[in-house]
């Protein structure tokens, strides 16, 4: 899998992978719990966003193939990532934690 960011922080569950650089976050739902139970393959569900932006639920706004790496760095870089079955946490250098609901990657 190729993405247009340098992954520094990575975590994985049975259904999701997150890779983050200092300023961008990529989330791939490579399996859904429904497909794990049935043994079927799922379609690729990917999102990528700049850490200073709120991820969009519109596919075109977070389309991985159209994403261009940010030319400006963030003032508050990513310093860690953590996944659970239904939550993604992103830590920033300021001490701020961002919590996102999975699988929609909705900021809480």
């Amino acid at each position: 899998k190729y993405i247009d960011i340098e992954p520094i922080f990575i975590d994985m569950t049975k259904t999701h992978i997150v890779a983050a650089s200092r300023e961008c976050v990529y989330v791939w739902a490579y399996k859904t719990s429904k497909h794990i139970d049935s043994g079927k393959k799922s379609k690729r569900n990917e999102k990528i966003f700049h850490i200073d932006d709120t991820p969009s639920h519109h596919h075109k706004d977070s389309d991985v193939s159209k994403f261009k790496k940010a030319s400006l760095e963030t003032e508050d870089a990513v310093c860690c990532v953590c996944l659970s079955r239904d939550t993604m946490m992103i830590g920033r250098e300021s001490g701020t934690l961002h919590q996102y609901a999975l699988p929609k990657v909705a900021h809480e």
Side-chain angles (χ1 to χ4, degrees), residues 87 97 101:
T87 304
L97 284 175

Side-chain angles (χ1 to χ4, degrees), residues 53-89:
D53 296 335
T54 302
S56 173
H57 296 297
H58 302 290
H59 178 69
K60 66 179 183 172
D61 294 339
S62 58
D63 187 348
V64 174
S65 65
K66 294 179 182 170
F67 181 79
K68 299 295 181 213
K69 194 164 101 172
S71 58
L72 297 175
E73 293 185 13
T74 182
E75 295 283 324
D76 190 11
V78 173
C79 64
C80 62
V81 299
C82 183
L83 286 177
S84 71
R85 184 176 55 82
D86 57 1
T87 304
M88 175 176 68
M89 301 289 286

Side-chain angles (χ1 to χ4, degrees), residues 4 9 18 20 22 25 44 47 65 69 72 79 83 85:
D4 192 27
F9 310 101
V18 62
R22 311 266 306 143
V25 179
R44 283 194 172 164
K47 289 192 180 203
S65 65
K69 194 164 101 172
L72 297 175
C79 64
L83 286 177
R85 184 176 55 82

Side-chain angles (χ1 to χ4, degrees), residues 3-107:
I3 54 178
D4 192 27
I5 65 171
E6 179 183 355
I8 299 171
F9 310 101
I10 300 172
D11 200 1
M12 179 177 178
T13 67
K14 290 182 180 181
T15 58
H16 289 81
I17 292 175
V18 62
S21 67
R22 311 266 306 143
E23 59 275 322
C24 297
V25 179
Y26 166 79
V27 182
W28 176 22
Y30 64 96
K31 291 182 182 177
T32 63
S33 56
K34 183 171 104 177
H35 287 94
I36 289 173
D37 296 337
S38 69
K40 295 179 183 178
K41 288 191 173 196
S42 64
K43 66 178 182 165
R44 283 194 172 164
N45 185 10
E46 304 170 278
K47 289 192 180 203
I48 192 165
F49 58 94
H50 190 275
I51 193 62
D52 292 334
D53 296 335
T54 302
S56 173
H57 296 297
H58 302 290
H59 178 69
K60 66 179 183 172
D61 294 339
S62 58
D63 187 348
V64 174
S65 65
K66 294 179 182 170
F67 181 79
K68 299 295 181 213
K69 194 164 101 172
S71 58
L72 297 175
E73 293 185 13
T74 182
E75 295 283 324
D76 190 11
V78 173
C79 64
C80 62
V81 299
C82 183
L83 286 177
S84 71
R85 184 176 55 82
D86 57 1
T87 304
M88 175 176 68
M89 301 289 286
I90 306 291
R92 299 185 73 175
E93 289 181 341
S94 67
T96 304
L97 284 175
H98 293 253
Q99 181 172 328
Y100 301 87
L102 295 176
K104 293 188 177 195
V105 191
H107 192 263

